[in-house]
Amino acid sequence: MKAVAVQAFGAPEGLAVVDLPDPGPGAGQVLVDTEAIGVGGVDAVILSGALAAYGFEPGHVLGGEIAGTVTAAGDGVDPSWLGRRVWAFAGTGGGYAERAVAPAETLVPLPEGLSPVDAVTLGSSGMVAHFALRHAHFTPGESVLIRGAAGGIGIMAVQLAAGDGAIAVTTSSPERGRRLRELGATHVLNRAADGPDTYDVILDVVAGPGLPGFFAKLKPNGRMVALGVVGGQPPADFGTELFTAFRKSLSFAVFSADSIPWADRRAVLADVFAAATRGELKSVVHEVLPLADAVVAHRKMQAGEVFGRIVLTPPES
């Protein structure tokens, strides 16, 4: 089968199309013929080499979020999954391929009317945004600032919070701001969130050196939740800002969906997919590219050109 593997960590040019043997599902796993593959922020971070300490080596196939048809099942898997179109999570890799293995516990059936491309655009992003808002104890009537709102998670957080309070977003251009307003944002700010307003909740998918400055954007008893590090790690002493504002009783937390049981994740994914089929949530696809253009996809992400999600599709057999 065709797959895209990391030959050298660093630039997008380190990716290459390779021929690999078809994988076989082990116990508790299924094999999925992929129809759509989500290009995610974690893929970019792995490719950059920033996670080398976690054991990623040359030859690693990127991609966790896939949609397609189950064609084989390992021991202990309900055979009724065979032939079904599903969303699945392959983990930290293996998805940039014509066929990928995924744990059966991650499978969510695709409802009629939802395309595989829309499934990988809405899926992880919507699920993470849902639980991140809950992790931040966001309640109707509160204000929320979403830092880096033009990515998949940010776009879904805007939509899920819409109507429940003031939603401010940071973004890089007036055009992106206009599109975010169409999705439910009430205030559009520059990347530094310049202005006098403060917020009950901040969801941050960027992190990086600018993270500590956002503590000043929180109201008393405000909560910031970091969802990613697409801008790099924050400074080692970023917590100093929390103690400087000690009397405001601010809170900081990180959130990873890995802390949520799969039964709960599947339930939220099913709700997100159902809402999309009813027209209540929009799938924002930046571009659909062939699997062989994974380098192009990562160049666009690195350049900050992407609004929404890039999706890869394997060649038709």
Side-chain angles (χ1 to χ4, degrees):
M1 69 172 185
K2 298 295 183 183
V4 173
V6 179
Q7 304 299 297
F9 290 96
E13 289 71 23
L15 293 173
V17 178
V18 297
D19 288 306
L20 295 176
D22 286 352
Q29 296 179 326
V30 298
L31 181 66
V32 177
D33 279 8
T34 58
E35 298 173 42
I37 304 150
V39 178
V42 68
D43 299 327
V45 175
I46 292 172
L47 176 59
S48 75
L51 302 181
Y54 292 89
F56 295 103
E57 298 179 349
H60 178 74
V61 175
L62 296 174
E65 189 168 6
I66 60 175
T69 302
V70 176
T71 56
D75 291 343
V77 176
D78 185 342
S80 68
W81 283 112
L82 291 170
R84 298 180 72 180
R85 296 172 70 248
V86 299
W87 177 98
F89 186 65
T92 56
Y96 284 19
E98 293 180 285
R99 285 170 283 282
V101 168
E105 67 172 349
T106 72
L107 301 181
V108 179
L110 297 191
E112 187 175 349
L114 186 73
S115 72
V117 167
D118 287 339
V120 298
T121 301
L122 295 160
S124 285
S125 295
M127 180 265 293
V128 169
H130 168 90
F131 284 114
L133 287 165
R134 192 175 78 174
H135 200 67
H137 302 287
F138 175 70
T139 59
E142 289 190 318
S143 56
V144 57
L145 171 64
I146 301 168
R147 184 179 179 217
I153 294 172
I155 285 171
M156 292 305 297
V158 168
Q159 294 189 75
L160 292 173
D164 285 337
I167 305 170
V169 295
T170 67
T171 190
S172 59
S173 71
E175 173 59 20
R176 289 184 171 206
R178 181 191 65 78
R179 296 183 68 181
L180 288 164
R181 283 187 183 275
E182 291 175 351
L183 294 168
T186 57
H187 299 75
V188 176
L189 309 172
N190 62 20
R191 284 181 169 174
D194 290 329
D197 292 338
T198 54
Y199 307 91
D200 296 296
V201 168
I202 296 176
L203 298 185
D204 185 358
V205 299
V206 180
L211 182 148
F214 279 80
F215 289 128
K217 306 292 180 183
L218 286 170
K219 294 180 178 181
N221 298 303
R223 293 89 68 195
M224 182 191 295
V225 176
L227 310 177
V229 290
V230 296
Q233 294 289 339
D237 63 348
F238 76 90
T240 301
E241 297 294 329
L242 282 173
F243 282 85
T244 300
F246 195 91
R247 296 177 66 187
K248 290 177 68 177
S249 299
L250 305 180
S251 300
F252 174 80
V254 297
F255 173 74
S256 166
D258 288 345
S259 63
I260 305 296
W262 265 108
D264 296 336
R265 289 192 248 181
R266 290 196 308 271
V268 169
L269 284 159
D271 286 345
V272 166
F273 293 159
T277 62
R278 296 192 299 267
E280 297 167 8
L281 292 173
K282 294 182 180 179
S283 169
V284 180
V285 181
H286 180 83
E287 192 172 3
V288 178
L289 295 171
L291 177 64
D293 282 351
V295 169
V296 176
H298 279 268
R299 282 181 188 149
K300 289 174 180 284
M301 290 183 67
Q302 190 176 67
E305 299 176 6
V306 179
F307 185 90
R309 197 78 185 267
I310 292 182
V311 178
L312 301 175
T313 55
E316 294 184 8
S317 56

